[in-house]
Amino acid sequence: MSVMLIFLAAIAAIVIWWLAGQRLASKPWLETGSVQLPAHDGVDRPPLPAVKIGLFVFLGVVGALFSLAVSAYFMRAASADWWGMPVPRLLWVNTAALALSSAALQWAKHEAGHGRMENLRPALVAAFALAVFFLAGQIQAWRELTAAGYVLADNPANSFFYMLTGLHGLHILGGLAVLAHTTVRAFSTEVAADRLRLSVDLSAIYSHFMLAVWLLLFALFAGWANNFVDLCRTLLN
């Protein structure tokens, strides 16, 4: 339970920090289309798209889902029938690929903000290709583990590994569908620049969040999170 509360607190802190940075003072459920931000220091801020608020609400739900799964992981790991499984070295490569994909999307966001389409397009393509590489690497890691005898029903540790990585992979796949649509639009000459910038921004936010979730899961599988949880329990007690 403490792990779930810590994770939820971290998600809430990130959302509050972002909202504070945007100075969101209006009520989005009473608005349609976008939210007008108040002026600050005499400078009018552009309206905040409602779809961006919706994305953060969705990410909050996803964060809660993973926090519950991680909490269940720690509770189940205390059982006598729990046997740890090795972390494939390929996961290091996959982690690097996902981090580079997130960095490429941040680059794309920067280029979109300056209207440099000649740099935006390769950045989006690179981000998409690296995310696909990550998913392919995850599938290969599964194959290596099953070939070594670490099958799904062998013990609870295996089941949690496949469940958590599979759930994360499905969310990456969903993000890829949106990113593919955004990339195709970037190569179109008829797309509006404002809408394209928004799409790239949303893709970047989603990618950064899923990278953070994966780093948490990777630390969990590698055993690094256990020391952190023990420290938190010591502080709470």
Side-chain angles (χ1 to χ4, degrees), residues 17-186:
W17 168 81
W18 176 81
L19 292 177
Q22 298 290 340
R23 293 176 175 85
L24 182 59
S26 59
K27 300 177 180 179
W29 54 88
L30 299 179
E31 306 289 341
T32 58
S34 62
V35 176
Q36 183 68 43
L37 298 180
H40 181 74
D41 296 334
V43 178
D44 289 333
R45 290 179 174 268
L48 182 67
V51 65
K52 201 169 188 178
I53 299 176
L55 174 63
F56 272 86
V57 172
F58 173 74
L59 293 182
V61 174
V62 173
L65 174 63
F66 276 102
S67 68
L68 290 172
V70 170
S71 180
Y73 179 96
F74 279 106
M75 289 188 293
R76 193 66 178 86
S79 302
D81 60 344
W82 183 278
W83 301 295
M85 60 187 302
V87 175
R89 293 182 178 179
L90 184 57
L91 290 189
W92 288 94
V93 179
N94 298 346
T95 302
L98 190 61
L100 289 174
S101 177
S102 186
L105 269 173
Q106 185 63 31
W107 171 34
K109 178 182 175 180
H110 177 77
E111 298 300 329
H114 290 80
R116 294 192 286 259
M117 299 297 295
E118 66 279 2
N119 295 332
L120 171 62
R121 295 184 181 106
L124 289 174
V125 171
F128 182 84
L130 287 166
V132 170
F133 180 87
F134 171 81
L135 284 180
Q138 294 294 83
I139 294 174
Q140 179 60 30
W142 280 12
R143 296 181 62 181
E144 290 180 1
L145 287 172
T146 53
Y150 296 95
V151 295
L152 177 66
D154 190 29
N155 78 85
N158 297 2
S159 301
F160 268 95
F161 176 85
Y162 290 118
M163 184 268 290
L164 289 173
T165 55
L167 184 62
H168 180 265
L170 287 176
H171 283 86
I172 293 292
L173 188 62
L176 272 175
V178 177
L179 181 57
H181 179 67
T182 302
T183 304
V184 170
R185 293 175 63 188

